[in-house]
Amino acid sequence: MKQLLLFFTISVILTPIHAFEDTEHCAPTETRFNIEKDLLLAQFDCKTDVDDLHSIAAFATLVSNVPFSKINYHAVAGTYGIQEGLYVPANALFQEAFGDNWTDAHKDFTAAVNKVSDIAIKTLVAGGNIWIAEAGQSDFSAALIKAIKTKIPSFASSDKIHIVQHSNWNEKVTSAESLAFVKKNISYHKIADGNAEGNGTPGFRSPDFTNWKMHLKSSQLIAVWQLAITLGNQYNGKNERYNNEAIAAGGLDFSDLSETCWILGLENIKDTAEFFKLYGAGN
């Protein structure tokens, strides 16, 4: 009996904490984002991979859930770097997903930097932090930070602005100057790639996941996802754009949401199926 008790005690000690978590609620693993004070910038390059379209729909799904519905966020389209290839026009999707709470950097980069920097400064002046989910490259972020520092020269940005990046490729097609600038001037977090499972962040690239609609109760979210998928199929691999094989197979790829999940302490979500199980129906 003592041996059995000792074995059980050791097993409990050695068992990972997440094994005891209630995955129905998937409590945050760490407090990073302060929902009372901080701003989340959801930036999407939309060039040339259509995975951003699915990531937009997934972000809209996540913030529709009660625990995250009060997040102060702003979406930005066209935050691409120096990569070749055509842009994926997604204005209709941004409008469907976020209403007027988004900015078009593809249409007018300078105006977008000015607008978003003003939004960010309101949060900074009030004592909050800026968290940038970098679904793309850091060129827009670099310009944004420079604008903030110009408008408030006394601002010390290193511990108040955070960029979260998950992709080696995104770093490679950020201009060298911009990448060096953000890494030097703000808090830069490089996390594991959201295209793969079991690496410490959610794996949201799922070529076999097609039953997304059965998990959604909101007609608005169904419309958002349907538009994201329709546009994704329309532009995927077309006119020498990147061919996303997971999307071509009829599945989903919202790998860029891994950054938002890390910001919110949700990196223990395993994959696409678990994401829809936890957040598809809202709560």
Side-chain angles (χ1 to χ4, degrees):
M1 178 65 71
K2 290 182 178 179
Q3 289 178 327
L4 287 174
L5 181 59
L6 178 62
F7 174 77
F8 177 77
T9 302
I10 293 173
S11 298
V12 170
I13 293 172
L14 295 180
T15 301
I17 292 175
H18 63 74
F20 296 100
E21 289 180 352
D22 179 0
T23 56
E24 289 298 318
H25 297 87
C26 200
T29 60
E30 182 178 337
T31 301
R32 299 184 178 108
F33 186 87
N34 185 333
I35 198 169
E36 301 297 329
K37 299 169 60 177
D38 294 352
L39 170 68
L40 175 54
L41 292 178
Q43 298 183 177
F44 303 92
D45 66 323
C46 300
K47 183 182 180 183
T48 68
D49 192 346
V50 296
D51 65 342
D52 283 13
L53 306 181
H54 291 192
S55 297
I56 291 165
F59 183 88
T61 301
L62 186 61
V63 298
S64 73
N65 283 257
V66 170
F68 314 111
S69 61
K70 293 184 179 180
I71 285 176
N72 180 22
Y73 75 87
H74 188 77
V76 188
T79 57
Y80 45 78
I82 60 174
Q83 71 264 48
E84 300 291 334
L86 294 178
Y87 183 68
V88 177
N91 286 18
L93 178 60
F94 276 93
Q95 197 67 35
E96 184 74 35
F98 307 125
D100 293 329
N101 190 23
W102 68 283
T103 296
D104 189 352
H106 173 68
K107 179 180 179 181
D108 191 329
F109 184 90
T110 301
V113 168
N114 187 55
K115 175 184 173 181
V116 178
S117 63
D118 284 345
I119 293 172
I121 286 171
K122 289 180 182 178
T123 292
L124 294 170
V125 169
N129 286 2
I130 308 299
W131 293 85
I132 302 175
E134 196 79 273
Q137 297 72 49
S138 296
D139 295 84
F140 181 85
S141 297
L144 176 66
I145 295 162
K146 290 175 183 178
I148 292 171
K149 290 170 76 69
T150 297
K151 292 179 179 181
I152 44 176
S154 61
F155 172 64
S157 59
S158 60
D159 62 345
K160 299 295 289 183
I161 299 178
H162 309 263
I163 286 179
V164 182
Q165 175 61 263
H166 84 112
S167 168
N168 292 333
W169 186 83
N170 282 341
E171 290 187 322
K172 289 178 181 178
V173 292
T174 296
S175 69
E177 178 186 358
S178 293
L179 187 60
F181 178 84
V182 297
K183 286 187 173 182
K184 179 181 179 180
N185 287 277
I186 53 90
S187 178
Y188 187 90
H189 308 268
K190 181 64 163 57
I191 65 172
D193 198 312
N195 286 284
E197 298 176 17
N199 61 3
T201 66
F204 290 148
R205 186 179 186 276
S206 306
D208 299 323
F209 192 91
T210 58
N211 61 337
W212 55 270
K213 189 177 291 186
M214 66 172 288
H215 297 277
L216 300 175
K217 291 184 178 180
S218 164
S219 59
Q220 170 64 17
L221 287 178
I222 290 174
V224 168
W225 274 101
Q226 190 61 70
L227 182 56
I229 290 169
T230 298
L231 290 173
N233 293 336
Q234 178 181 344
Y235 290 105
N236 188 33
K238 301 300 191 301
N239 298 317
E240 300 184 355
R241 290 182 177 87
Y242 175 75
N243 181 48
N244 187 309
E245 294 181 355
I247 292 175
L252 301 182
D253 182 353
F254 51 97
S255 49
D256 286 321
L257 191 74
S258 62
E259 297 156 349
T260 297
C261 289
W262 188 88
I263 291 169
L264 300 178
L266 303 176
E267 63 267 36
N268 281 349
I269 300 173
K270 178 185 177 183
D271 55 17
T272 300
E274 186 172 24
F275 173 81
F276 274 94
K277 177 183 178 182
L278 291 170
Y279 301 112
N283 56 53

